Amino acid sequence: MPPIDPAIPPQEMSASYDPAILSYIQRAAADGLYEIRGLGAKRKIPHFDDLLLLGASMSRYPLEGYREKCATQTILGTRYAKKPIMLDMPITIAGMSFGALSASVKEALGRAASALGTSTTTGDGGMTEEERATSKILVYQCLPSRYGFCPDDLRRADAIEVVIGQGAKPGGGGMLLGQKINPRVAAMRTLPAGIDQRSACRHPDWTGPDDLTIKIQELREITDWEKPIYVKIGASRTYHDVKLAVHAGADVIVLDGMQGGTAATQQVFIEHVGIPTLAALRQAVQALEEMKMKDTVQLVISGGIRTGADVAKALAMGADAVSIGQGVLMAMGCNASTWTTPSGEPVDATGDYQTLGASPGTCHHCHTGHCPVGITTQDDVLEKRLSPSWAAHRVQNYLQTLNMELTTLARACGKNNVHHLEREDLVALTVEAAAMAGVPLAGTDWVPGSSTGR
Amino acid sequence: MERLTFDLHASSVREINQFLHQAVPEPGADLVTIEHPDGAHNLAVGLNAPWQVRIGGHVGYYAAGMNQEATITIAGNAGTGLAENMMSGRVHVRGFASNSAGASAHGGLLVIDGDAGLRCGISLKGADIVVGGSVGSFSAFMAQAGRMVICGNAGDALGDSLYEAVIYLRGKVASLGADAQEEKMQEADYEAVETLLRAAGSDYRHHDPRQFRRIASARKLYHWNADARHSY
Ligand code: SF4
């Protein structure tokens, strides 16, 4: 580094054209095509970190953190299904496709979920045998692309999730670049190996909520009304979308906020489309309460849930459960500097990150298929970097930790059941978060906009 | 042959589907007639055995949806999503079909004697579709595998974003969709059309395979590239 010349005054950087925007313009000018990338939004937007829980003191009575019981059992799908889903914790694993993820990762997710008594979810690309065999409770997604969609699998599923949108890209379809399409992925999707697979942004056989009502009944008819039907919405016009999903007959609504991840989509979608998870959750709860459906239709929130505190705050705001995608990938080593051999030896992966133009902690290159730690890949050599048993153990530990943090926080708020957490237990740190979440600014009674509805 | 008749004036869709979700009890006891369907939705969906189902009128949405093995004949018209995601077997509609007929169907044969609405064969994944009349716009949109024989005309954007599915068209097309192109018919194409027309039944015998044209993917959208940016 050259010595700083005191004769040259410090240079100012443009606020409008900072290094990120400069690099965006230069890349667009070079390629003439928008950028595709993985993971979720990179910029900071209001989130659960902007809320605080009010632990009990005089006006509330806390429970003993290490001794008194705090229930976590969660039941989803009580509206119509003959066989609702019974979970041991209100934390589930979100839908991620085989194709985006390797078969080993799908297997690991199934093992971890089963060990914890919770569910995992298929994704765009259908159900793999490994996933069905290892998952005690498996939610089967019905996606717009209908890649690998099969009535036999519908009947083998424990619940069905009609995916309408994803938080990272409401209104957008998926894109799995050809480098990730090995013969097995291609065969499941009925397409040649090695070509880009563009998933549709809308379902092929219904176009609006009234059609969806009949479509949901078709799924119920085929499965003899046994399985809960979830409807997954990407958060945007959440208040109205939730009301329409209830009208269409959903047993469970899965709401994915803009902090949610993706394997590959346009960068402009990830950063500029949809609304934050916090804001979406409040609107969804309001819609359910106004319809008097709050205890009839369950609400699962996803999109950047990372910690037990996030889970506790989401439940306090009115969610019945949360769903996690990116967090479990990170538990398996996404963005870590090493991968782990079957004998437990860490192996440095920084060189592989550099080859992708990334580094541990800044990687978002899932779309390339060259995941340095073997998670989002179909490459034989890279996939072997992730052992399903090691990965399952890590995910199990991670979700178990979240559940313990959740119960600790619930007890501190005086609850013997995590589902008794309530909005009354929350305050906001910022005016923005108070307005979005509909809770008072800390130290005041002020809920911005509380008298003006949504 | 044993014959069982359901009347939708007396039975519910649920009762009929529940009955049809069992295996065929014994050889010869496979024929089921459904009377007075009167546009009911979700009729004969999710069948998974070689039933012979005859529906004596018009049906609503998703009739014969996700069919496996069964042969289902509908005497009237069919609503949206007819035989959607069919895996195998045969569905034959004597009248017209609404939007999205045969959507994402993986296998089997769908025959529509009349016209079909928008998006017929959308996301097709391997089934065969024969349409006696014309099809609406965006038919075979993103169709991945399988074949469509259209004896009449096609609306706008036929075969938009087509993958490996092939369309055989006898009449005129309003416009082809992105990445779809007309290709020269080969001997194998004439044979395919002949076979599919024969499979569709005696009403299709008078068509000459030499009158059909082949439409397939130009495969320019198979790889993410700047040269095709107008198409993204
Ligand atoms: S480490 Fe792998 S999973 Fe994580 S962002 Fe990079 S490519 Fe994606």
Side-chain angles (χ1 to χ4, degrees):
Chain A
M1 197 124 146
I4 293 166
D5 184 346
I8 303 174
Q11 302 298 296
E12 251 185 291
M13 189 178 288
S14 164
S16 302
Y17 294 90
D18 60 18
I21 284 287
L22 272 174
S23 124
Y24 158 79
I25 292 175
Q26 278 152 12
R27 202 207 53 77
D31 297 348
L33 211 53
Y34 43 63
E35 185 185 357
I36 298 271
R37 74 164 173 88
L39 244 57
K42 290 181 186 171
R43 61 177 161 153
K44 188 159 170 50
I45 45 182
H47 203 16
F48 290 108
D49 284 343
D50 299 310
L51 301 183
L52 296 172
L53 286 152
L54 296 174
S57 50
M58 284 289 282
S59 48
R60 291 280 175 111
Y61 190 67
L63 298 188
E64 203 63 67
Y66 295 100
R67 297 206 176 82
E68 290 181 270
K69 285 208 170 70
C70 182
T72 57
Q73 197 195 46
T74 302
I75 304 174
L76 303 176
T78 52
R79 188 180 184 188
Y80 292 117
K82 282 188 220 160
K83 295 182 179 169
I85 298 296
M86 315 279 267
L87 304 173
D88 291 344
M89 56 161 66
I91 305 168
T92 66
I93 297 178
M96 292 177 279
S97 77
F98 167 63
L101 305 182
S102 70
S104 308
V105 170
K106 292 300 277 178
E107 182 186 333
L109 294 175
R111 285 199 208 179
S114 298
L116 292 164
T118 190
S119 62
T120 187
T121 313
T122 64
D124 211 353
M127 184 190 286
T128 65
E129 289 307 319
E130 295 96 321
E131 190 173 29
R132 179 61 278 186
T134 53
S135 310
K136 197 162 153 266
I137 306 169
L138 184 59
V139 182
Y140 184 48
Q141 288 191 330
C142 172
L143 288 126
S145 75
R146 306 280 166 85
Y147 285 144
F149 193 72
C150 167
D152 291 334
D153 292 337
L154 204 59
R155 289 184 278 260
R156 293 199 299 162
D158 300 293
I160 298 155
E161 184 170 307
V162 180
V163 178
I164 297 174
Q166 220 179 308
K169 49 186 173 187
M175 165 72 98
L176 196 59
L177 295 178
Q179 55 263 40
K180 291 179 84 171
I181 315 297
N182 70 12
R184 182 177 175 196
V185 174
M188 280 180 71
R189 297 176 182 226
T190 333
L191 282 168
I195 70 163
D196 297 341
Q197 304 198 350
R198 289 163 282 143
S199 306
C201 67
R202 52 180 194 259
H203 283 260
D205 54 357
W206 56 269
T207 52
D210 293 331
D211 292 9
L212 177 58
T213 307
I214 306 168
K215 181 76 200 170
I216 286 176
Q217 274 172 13
E218 185 205 9
L219 295 169
R220 289 195 206 285
E221 279 295 320
I222 289 171
T223 53
D224 290 322
W225 292 71
E226 286 183 348
K227 300 164 204 297
I229 309 283
Y230 300 11
V231 173
K232 179 175 178 176
I233 301 166
S236 55
R237 296 176 182 84
T238 313
Y239 172 81
H240 298 290
D241 289 346
V242 165
K243 286 199 164 182
L244 289 171
V246 171
H247 166 79
D251 290 300
V252 175
I253 291 171
V254 182
L255 177 62
D256 196 21
M258 80 171 280
Q259 287 100 325
T262 176
T265 199
Q266 296 95 327
Q267 145 104 355
V268 72
F269 259 106
I270 300 175
E271 298 289 352
H272 299 282
V273 182
I275 65 169
T277 305
L278 196 61
L281 176 54
R282 203 257 306 162
Q283 286 191 312
V285 171
Q286 186 182 346
L288 290 173
E289 284 174 347
E290 283 177 14
M291 295 180 93
K292 303 208 178 344
M293 285 299 215
K294 181 69 188 72
D295 298 320
T296 306
V297 174
Q298 285 82 41
L299 180 64
V300 179
I301 187 78
S302 59
I305 305 286
R306 307 146 301 171
T307 65
D310 288 351
V311 183
K313 292 168 189 176
L315 263 49
M317 280 184 68
D320 294 282
V322 303
S323 188
I324 304 183
Q326 276 178 174
V328 296
L329 300 188
M330 284 165 185
M332 290 180 171
C334 162
N335 267 294
S337 58
T338 55
W339 55 277
T340 305
T341 65
S343 55
E345 295 300 312
V347 180
D348 185 43
T350 46
D352 295 309
Y353 281 105
Q354 275 160 15
T355 309
L356 288 175
S359 58
T362 68
C363 185
H364 55 260
H365 293 262
C366 315
H367 58 292
T368 64
H370 302 305
C371 176
V373 291
I375 296 172
T376 52
T377 184
Q378 301 301 323
D379 179 285
D380 283 346
V381 174
L382 290 173
E383 183 181 347
K384 289 204 176 64
R385 291 186 178 181
L386 186 124
S387 130
S389 55
W390 178 87
H393 186 62
R394 299 272 300 188
V395 172
Q396 193 181 333
N397 278 349
Y398 169 57
L399 297 185
Q400 185 61 53
T401 303
L402 263 55
N403 202 44
M404 287 166 71
E405 287 176 346
L406 166 65
T407 50
T408 295
L409 291 169
R411 285 191 199 98
C413 292
K415 321 289 179 182
N416 65 3
N417 186 320
V418 295
H419 297 290
H420 294 169
L421 284 161
E422 55 194 323
R423 265 193 302 260
E424 235 272 297
D425 295 318
L426 291 170
V427 292
L429 274 172
T430 66
V431 175
E432 287 85 353
M436 285 187 194
V439 300
L441 189 65
T444 77
D445 293 330
W446 182 47
V447 182
S450 58
S451 58
T452 53
R454 307 193 300 272
Chain B
M1 187 183 287
E2 194 137 342
R3 185 192 173 104
L4 189 82
T5 300
F6 285 97
D7 186 338
L8 263 164
H9 286 173
S11 307
S12 66
V13 168
R14 182 79 284 267
E15 285 163 342
I16 296 171
N17 284 334
Q18 187 109 41
F19 177 84
L20 292 170
H21 286 175
Q22 24 168 359
V24 175
E26 60 195 73
D30 55 354
L31 184 63
V32 172
T33 301
I34 301 172
E35 289 176 352
H36 299 113
D38 297 346
H41 300 310
N42 302 320
L43 205 48
V45 296
L47 272 55
N48 194 17
W51 292 102
Q52 309 270 334
V53 181
R54 294 186 190 158
I55 303 177
H58 306 311
V59 291
Y61 283 39
Y62 308 120
M66 302 196 205
N67 184 48
Q68 286 167 297
E69 298 192 47
T71 297
I72 301 170
T73 309
I74 298 162
N77 303 324
T80 292
L82 166 74
E84 65 84 20
N85 218 81
M86 174 164 67
M87 304 300 287
S88 61
R90 180 190 166 103
V91 175
H92 192 149
V93 178
R94 292 292 185 185
F96 297 90
S98 184
N99 299 339
S100 306
S104 69
H106 290 249
L109 175 66
L110 169 63
V111 182
I112 300 161
D113 288 350
D115 298 330
L118 302 169
R119 304 187 304 266
C120 180
I122 183 171
S123 294
L124 192 66
K125 292 182 184 354
D128 292 319
I129 302 179
V130 177
V131 182
S134 299
V135 297
S137 297
F138 280 98
S139 287
F141 176 64
M142 284 179 124
Q144 297 174 214
R147 300 170 295 184
M148 271 184 86
V149 174
I150 303 162
C151 300
N153 304 317
D156 275 314
L158 179 68
D160 194 289
S161 305
L162 203 58
Y163 288 94
E164 296 291 291
V166 177
I167 305 165
Y168 298 107
L169 175 68
R170 182 166 163 273
K172 294 193 286 274
V173 59
S175 65
L176 292 179
D179 213 28
Q181 65 179 9
E182 188 172 336
E183 296 176 348
K184 200 168 162 359
M185 289 282 280
Q186 308 288 337
E187 218 31 63
D189 293 307
Y190 294 121
E191 275 169 30
V193 175
E194 168 92 52
T195 307
L196 288 168
L197 290 171
R198 215 177 303 128
S202 54
D203 293 352
Y204 292 81
R205 259 189 228 139
H206 63 283
H207 290 302
D208 176 0
R210 308 239 154 227
Q211 295 174 323
F212 287 80
R213 292 176 289 144
R214 173 188 162 100
I215 290 152
S217 174
R219 300 174 180 173
K220 289 199 182 114
L221 296 181
Y222 275 22
H223 296 282
W224 182 236
N225 75 90
D227 296 334
R229 54 180 164 263
H230 59 281
S231 302
Y232 289 110

